[in-house]
């Protein structure tokens, strides 16, 4: 920290890339389609019928899934960026009604929420405050109401922390970086006369919380597949807070948030190590963290939660803004384009709690099963139903960033438009029309009040790239390419000086690549997309949401007809091994329009079966492969793989479009011995 010359206050360590205010960025193309489907689907209608929202204790009702009372806070944290990303009046009205009720019922001592003093735990306030923070950014007129309420709560929280009250359960003590983010936003944007209290509250949260930096050490971090650890780690084990998969996703950003106020540079390396270890030893091929509640290593018959996917995305986007490391943005895109879309039905009215990399069918499991809970729309833990709306909207709101005094950066690549005033006073309006990640070219059009610097991130997988920048002043276009124009080695950003109006065409080149998943198995990628074996599908809907009906007072007639559970089974064989030397990429994508129509060439919904315009083929054969507890067992050992059918061509499609799939495939050399 340093002393601000403007206020005399200590300044937090700066972001590498400063975030833009919510509402500055709007979706285009397929991203707009997907967010509109969210609005038209489950996320946009929970307020109408879903008891944990519509009948929440926060709103004077009776419904909640745990004593943590986190349902409405999770929901608000996602609905605010969805509402303002789409500029959707109906969703704005929903969030406005909820916020008005919560603030109208703030307790006299400053507490936000329905709990009486004896039952208070501060964790559920963390996502609530993130939602309120975003609301003030997007709707500054709410500041006069929201900010006093936040300061009253912060004052109370400070007293509670000093007295060791309301911070006993581990949930808040591992997830406190989320609250620190709100406190730092208040400190930098709306400090009032409470700067010292804000800093001290950050410090108390850190001092009394669990230390992620201590866990990210050789002696503490668990590198093993947790299914093999003995005695088994359960929710009663001392180390469980660190290996709860959602905690692990949220905890990845802890060191960066803490470093901003305590200046402990050792946290930077600790954070990088923690992210690398977490995703390297417990990550799934889609970019999330394997774990059904507790982490479970990398076996392809172990799944990952929807909550984990959205929290992984948020942590990695925050880490890119704070530390600027190239791989954080790449990781966020991998999760956004793979781990997130595979979770949802095409119409976004239902989601899976858990997705398994090798999952050729999804249905209720009978007898012993390997999961803590299962289900499609609302399983035993409804947290994902209320937490999932933050995924794409926060991806959008973090897709563009400020770079220095007069720069704008495209941190997360996708179709979107941004309008903002840079610190230099330069007002910039820019649109990115693209089908990325389904296509390889991004087209930018811009207008600014003065020349500015456009920063474009180069994904690590991009082998080559070209850029053509044109200004509307009659000068010749400028061409840049990867043979001489190199990105920043730390951030992966290319910096291009632009005049006031013009266009930029940014083309990426890549090829098929594979990643080793152990035991001579691989996952297959092209660009930012993971490809999985197409096993066909047959979708049967179940109209009665029985899991909800047993737990919550749904009130007959209020459940939309689109809300139901699904049983999805394969219609093609799933037990294939492939020869990786035969992999071939195919694309039906032909658009090269620069007039903004490029996004219109993609089907809507883009994540429907066979909708993405690319696929991969390979030669493979069926092998003997057993079932374990209702799912495919771990792939057979290399020496045990024998073809039990003819060698044939198999098709792999983008993982997000295959709700049933095989994404970790055993390999064979089909020419060597014709096994």
């Amino acid at each position: 920290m340093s002393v601000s010359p403007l206020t005399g206050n200590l300044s937090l360590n700066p972001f590498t890339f400063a975030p833009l205010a919510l509402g500055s960025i709007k979706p285009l193309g397929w991203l707009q389609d997907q967010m509109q489907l969210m609005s038209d689907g489950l996320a946009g209608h929970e307020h109408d019928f879903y008891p944990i929202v519509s009948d929440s204790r926060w709103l004077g009702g009776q419904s909640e899934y745990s004593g943590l009372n986190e349902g409405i806070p999770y929901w608000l944290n996602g609905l605010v960026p969805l509402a303002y990303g789409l500029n959707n009046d109906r969703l704005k009205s929903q969030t406005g009604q909820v916020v008005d009720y919560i603030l109208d019922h703030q307790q006299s001592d400053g507490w936000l929420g329905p709990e009486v003093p004896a039952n208070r735990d501060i964790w559920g306030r963390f996502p609530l405050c993130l939602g309120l923070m975003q609301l003030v950014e997007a709707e500054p007129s709410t500041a006069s109401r929201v900010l006093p309420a936040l300061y009253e709560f912060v004052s109370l929280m400070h007293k509670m922390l000093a007295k060791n009250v309301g911070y006993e359960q581990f949930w808040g003590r591992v997830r406190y970086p989320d609250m620190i983010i709100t406190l730092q936003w208040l400190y930098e944007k709306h400090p009032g006369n409470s700067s010292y209290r804000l800093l001290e509250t950050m410090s108390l949260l850190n001092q009394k919380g669990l230390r992620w930096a201590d866990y990210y050490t050789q002696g503490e971090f668990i590198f093993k597949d947790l299914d093999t650890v003995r005695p088994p780690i359960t929710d009663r084990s001392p180390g469980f807070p660190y290996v709860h998969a959602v905690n692990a996703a949220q905890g990845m950003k802890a060191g960066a948030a803490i470093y901003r106020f305590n200046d402990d540079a050792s946290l930077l390396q600790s954070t990088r190590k923690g992210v690398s270890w977490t995703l390297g030893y417990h990550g799934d091929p889609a970019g999330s963290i394997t774990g059904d509640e507790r982490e479970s290593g990398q076996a392809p018959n172990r799944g990952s939660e929807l909550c984990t996917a959205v929290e992984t995305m948020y942590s990695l986007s925050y880490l890119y803004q704070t530390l600027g490391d190239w791989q954080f943005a790449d990781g966020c895109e991998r999760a956004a384009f793979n781990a997130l879309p595979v979770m949802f039905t095409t119409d976004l009215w239902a989601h899976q709690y858990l997705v398994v990399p090798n999952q050729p069918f999804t249905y209720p499991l009978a007898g012993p099963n390997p999961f803590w809970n299962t289900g499609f729309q609302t399983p035993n833990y409804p947290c994902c139903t209320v937490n999932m709306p933050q995924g794409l909207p926060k991806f959008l709101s973090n897709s563009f960033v400020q770079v220095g005094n007069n720069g704008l950066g495209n941190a997360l690549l996708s179709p979107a438009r941004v309008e903002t005033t840079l610190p230099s006073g330069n007002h910039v309006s820019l649109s990115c029309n693209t089908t990325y990640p389904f296509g390889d070219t991004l087209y930018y059009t811009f207008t600014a009040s003065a020349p500015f610097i456009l920063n474009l991130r180069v994904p690590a997988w991009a082998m080559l790239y070209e850029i053509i920048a044109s200004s509307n002043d009659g000068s010749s276009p400028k061409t840049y390419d990867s043979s001489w124009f190199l990105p920043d080695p730390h951030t992966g950003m290319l910096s291009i000086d632009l005049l006031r109006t013009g266009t930029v065409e940014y083309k990426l080149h890549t090829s098929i690549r594979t990643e080793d998943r152990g035991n001579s198995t691989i996952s297959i990628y092209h660009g930012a997309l993971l490809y999985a074996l197409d096993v066909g599908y047959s979708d049967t809907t179940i109209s009665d949401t029985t899991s909800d009906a047993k737990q919550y007072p749904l009130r007959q007639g209020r459940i939309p007809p689109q809300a139901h559970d699904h049983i999805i089974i394969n219609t093609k064989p799933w037990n294939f091994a492939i020869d990786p030397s035969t992999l071939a990429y195919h694309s039906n994508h032909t658009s090269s329009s620069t007039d903004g129509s490029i996004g219109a060439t993609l089907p809507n919904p883009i994540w429907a079966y066979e909708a993405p315009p690319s696929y991969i083929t390979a030669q493979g054969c069926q092998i003997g492969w057993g079932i374990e507890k209702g799912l495919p067992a771990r792939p057979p050992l290399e020496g045990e793989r024998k073809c039990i059918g003819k060698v044939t061509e198999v098709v792999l499609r983008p993982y997000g479009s295959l709700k049933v799939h095989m994404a970790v495939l055993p390999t064979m050399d089909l020419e060597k011995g014709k096994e």
Side-chain angles (χ1 to χ4, degrees), residues 71-103:
I72 277 285
Y74 269 148
W75 174 87
L76 187 71
N77 183 34
L79 254 288
V80 169
L82 178 61
Y84 287 89
L86 287 173
N87 195 26
N88 185 296
D89 289 339
R90 180 176 65 86
L91 300 186
K92 289 181 187 179
S93 176
Q94 291 181 9
T95 58
Q97 291 172 36
V98 168
V99 169
D100 284 346
Y101 188 97
I102 290 172
L103 299 186

Side-chain angles (χ1 to χ4, degrees), residues 39-55:
S39 173
D40 296 340
L42 181 60
H45 289 86
E46 291 178 28
H47 183 264
D48 302 330
F49 81 99
Y50 192 57
I52 294 166
V53 177
S54 64
D55 188 49

Side-chain angles (χ1 to χ4, degrees), residues 54 163 197 233-234 246 263 298 483-484 634 659 661:
S54 64
K163 295 177 180 178
R197 180 179 291 130
I233 297 176
T234 71
V246 180
D263 213 24
Q298 294 186 319
S483 67
W484 62 273
R634 297 187 183 216
K659 312 314 172 187
H661 48 255

Side-chain angles (χ1 to χ4, degrees), residues 601-633:
T601 64
L602 290 175
N604 180 22
I606 185 55
W607 294 114
Y609 180 65
E610 294 186 341
S614 59
Y615 62 96
I616 290 173
T617 57
Q619 294 296 304
C621 67
Q622 288 181 255
I623 60 173
W625 192 339
I627 296 289
E628 179 184 358
K629 296 182 179 179
L631 282 172

Side-chain angles (χ1 to χ4, degrees), residues 30 337 435-440 529 585 587 589 602 606-607 612-614 654:
W30 73 262
F337 301 147
T435 56
Y436 181 91
F438 309 99
D440 57 13
L529 295 177
Y585 178 76
S587 177
H589 195 45
L602 290 175
I606 185 55
W607 294 114
S614 59

